[in-house]
Amino acid sequence: MAVCAAIIGKDNSPKYFTCLNPYDELNLQYKVLSSLDVVEEKLNSGTKSGSDIRELYLGMLYSLETHKIYGYVTNTKIKFVIIVDSTNIAIRDNEIRSMFRKLHSIYADYVCNPFHIPGDQITSKSFDERVKNIMTGNA
């Protein structure tokens, strides 16, 4: 389903990044980081227009010839970005929302660990495995 997933901190610093194909990693990192401008724009326009603050899912941030980039922001301003291959036309918006909810849930479980230091990058192998299961649709 997804080819890349990333978690970005409040200060726009990457906390976690994974992709299924290691050869595309640099290209996908660039796409994730460039999507942060769109996330900030949506967050700023959302507060001005009086839209529902509880809506965490930002929807499709932008579409490229090869990929579609989706965004999600928590109440604490942690940003999740998922990149999907554009050739996968069978994927629906509800499936993307579900992926974000699952990703948010395992992220919340991870940061609730008393040994986790807030602000550090996520390096857990079990966390990585759970995220990749979500990305491939096996979770």
Side-chain angles (χ1 to χ4, degrees):
M1 293 177 81
V3 295
C4 173
I7 300 174
I8 311 296
K10 296 178 204 177
D11 55 351
N12 288 340
S13 62
K15 301 298 178 201
Y16 175 79
F17 181 86
T18 188
C19 61
L20 297 179
N21 185 356
Y23 297 110
D24 289 340
E25 186 170 341
L26 188 60
N27 185 25
L28 293 173
Q29 281 182 0
Y30 173 73
K31 290 176 183 178
V32 166
L33 294 175
S34 63
S35 70
L36 294 179
D37 292 335
V38 181
V39 170
E40 293 297 327
E41 183 179 312
K42 284 193 175 215
L43 289 177
N44 291 336
S45 68
T47 56
K48 292 177 186 170
S49 66
S51 66
D52 190 9
I53 301 299
R54 293 171 302 214
E55 179 60 36
L56 304 174
Y57 177 65
L58 298 175
M60 187 181 347
L61 301 176
Y62 62 93
S63 179
L64 300 169
E65 196 172 303
T66 57
H67 297 99
K68 292 180 183 177
I69 293 100
Y70 293 89
Y72 181 95
V73 177
T74 68
N75 291 330
T76 57
K77 303 296 184 231
I78 302 296
K79 300 158 195 83
F80 298 108
V81 177
I82 291 179
I83 299 178
V84 178
D85 194 10
S86 286
T87 59
N88 188 357
I89 57 172
I91 194 163
R92 294 188 305 268
D93 208 42
N94 288 342
E95 294 169 351
I96 298 292
R97 282 180 189 263
S98 174
M99 289 171 66
F100 277 122
R101 274 191 238 110
K102 290 174 185 175
L103 186 60
H104 189 179
S105 176
I106 65 169
Y107 173 76
D109 289 345
Y110 181 81
V111 297
C112 287
N113 180 350
F115 299 108
H116 171 70
I117 300 170
D120 276 1
Q121 289 195 348
I122 299 172
T123 57
S124 168
K125 289 182 182 178
S126 64
F127 182 85
D128 190 53
E129 186 177 309
R130 291 174 71 186
V131 171
K132 287 189 178 176
N133 283 339
I134 291 171
M135 289 170 56
T136 57
N138 296 330

